[in-house]
Amino acid sequence: ENGEVKLSGGGNGNCYIDLGIDKLPSDKFTIEMWVTLRELKEWARCMVVKSENPIVFTSRRSKDDGNYCCNFDSCGGVQKTGYELKKDKQYYVAISYENNGNGGVIVKQYLKESGAENFLWTNTYTKDSYSLPVNVTAFWLAHSSDGTGDLKADYDELRVWNGALTGNQISFSSLAGPNAKFGILSLAPDAKLDLAGHTLKQPIVKASGLIETGDGELVVTEKISIKS
């Protein structure tokens, strides 16, 4: 409906999206999504990637003040944003993983209200003695395996990249919004689109794209469009 997948939530396993285990590159990647929470539910997961250690974006109720706050669980450590999530508000969420070259991994996380220029929260988290590739065993939207029930939420789009996007790339991709034509509808072969002072260039028609910002180029391995 209106270009979004609307999930009704409910009991555990009632209504969620299983994206399969072959969607993520194993050595470095970025996940972006646009999600609207239609309920505020304790421990509800907007996204879960299961592996040896979890990659989770979750909304959960703080025991201190009763607010539903956005938290990330990455490599077995929880990063608390302290930001209270709002019902019926669309959020942009992104998370990237890459090796740090010293036997560990660098995780970068981003949260903003959709359409806003500034981020509500950003974070860089380093986990020592954690090596990629990641052995992914599940990739879910609005579901978890701990019996908390599925989340009632609308998903406008999900993007998976085969590299760790830079902060500048994340910024202009988030401003481009969920309807940016990454690898779905063709621009002319030489067409360029200026976004937030950067350039998005899609050179060919196929299920991949090229993001070009002066910081280097990242090729999208697969654009997972979950629009109905």
Side-chain angles (χ1 to χ4, degrees):
E1 181 181 336
N2 298 322
E4 295 180 329
V5 170
K6 297 181 179 294
L7 303 182
S8 61
N12 204 52
N14 179 65
C15 183
Y16 69 100
I17 296 175
D18 185 346
L19 293 166
I21 63 173
D22 59 344
K23 304 301 184 187
L24 290 179
S26 60
D27 56 347
K28 54 184 177 179
F29 55 86
T30 304
I31 304 171
E32 303 176 283
M33 68 177 175
W34 283 259
V35 58
T36 303
L37 305 178
R38 297 304 184 190
E39 64 178 350
L40 297 178
K41 188 174 186 178
E42 189 168 8
W43 290 106
R45 269 72 165 179
C46 295
M47 178 188 72
V48 172
V49 177
K50 290 188 68 177
S51 64
E52 293 92 342
N53 288 300
I55 303 166
V56 177
F57 166 65
T58 178
S59 61
R60 72 177 185 184
R61 188 170 61 154
S62 166
K63 294 180 180 178
D64 297 327
D65 55 21
N67 293 330
Y68 286 84
C69 296
C70 166
N71 295 309
F72 289 80
D73 184 354
S74 305
C75 304
V78 176
Q79 296 83 55
K80 299 180 179 181
T81 70
Y83 182 78
E84 181 185 354
L85 294 168
K86 296 178 176 62
K87 183 181 175 182
D88 301 326
K89 172 76 71 175
Q90 187 180 74
Y91 292 95
Y92 167 82
V93 183
I95 184 167
S96 70
Y97 273 67
E98 63 181 326
N99 289 312
N100 67 359
N102 193 33
V105 66
I106 299 173
V107 185
K108 295 183 179 181
Q109 303 145 332
Y110 307 83
L111 173 70
K112 69 157 54 175
E113 292 184 3
S114 181
E117 184 171 352
N118 297 320
F119 287 91
L120 297 168
W121 181 83
T122 62
N123 182 59
T124 299
Y125 173 77
T126 301
K127 174 75 172 181
D128 295 327
S129 302
Y130 183 91
S131 61
L132 296 173
V134 172
N135 179 27
V136 177
T137 57
F139 190 3
W140 298 323
L141 300 182
H143 180 61
S144 65
S145 58
D146 62 4
T148 56
D150 299 335
L151 177 65
K152 184 177 182 180
D154 301 345
Y155 290 84
D156 199 339
E157 188 152 345
L158 178 81
R159 295 177 188 154
V160 177
W161 300 83
N162 73 338
L165 270 65
T166 65
N168 284 341
Q169 291 168 335
I170 287 286
S171 291
F172 91 79
S173 184
S174 66
L175 288 171
N179 296 314
K181 307 305 184 207
F182 291 113
I184 289 290
L185 300 177
S186 172
L187 299 171
D190 324 10
K192 292 186 178 181
L193 178 63
D194 288 327
L195 299 169
H198 300 287
T199 299
L200 170 67
K201 179 181 179 184
Q202 182 175 310
I204 50 179
V205 187
K206 62 180 182 180
S208 63
L210 182 69
I211 195 167
E212 187 177 277
T213 68
D215 301 316
E217 300 176 352
L218 288 173
V219 179
V220 95
T221 54
E222 180 175 2
K223 175 179 180 294
I224 305 169
S225 178
I226 56 175
K227 294 181 180 181
S228 54

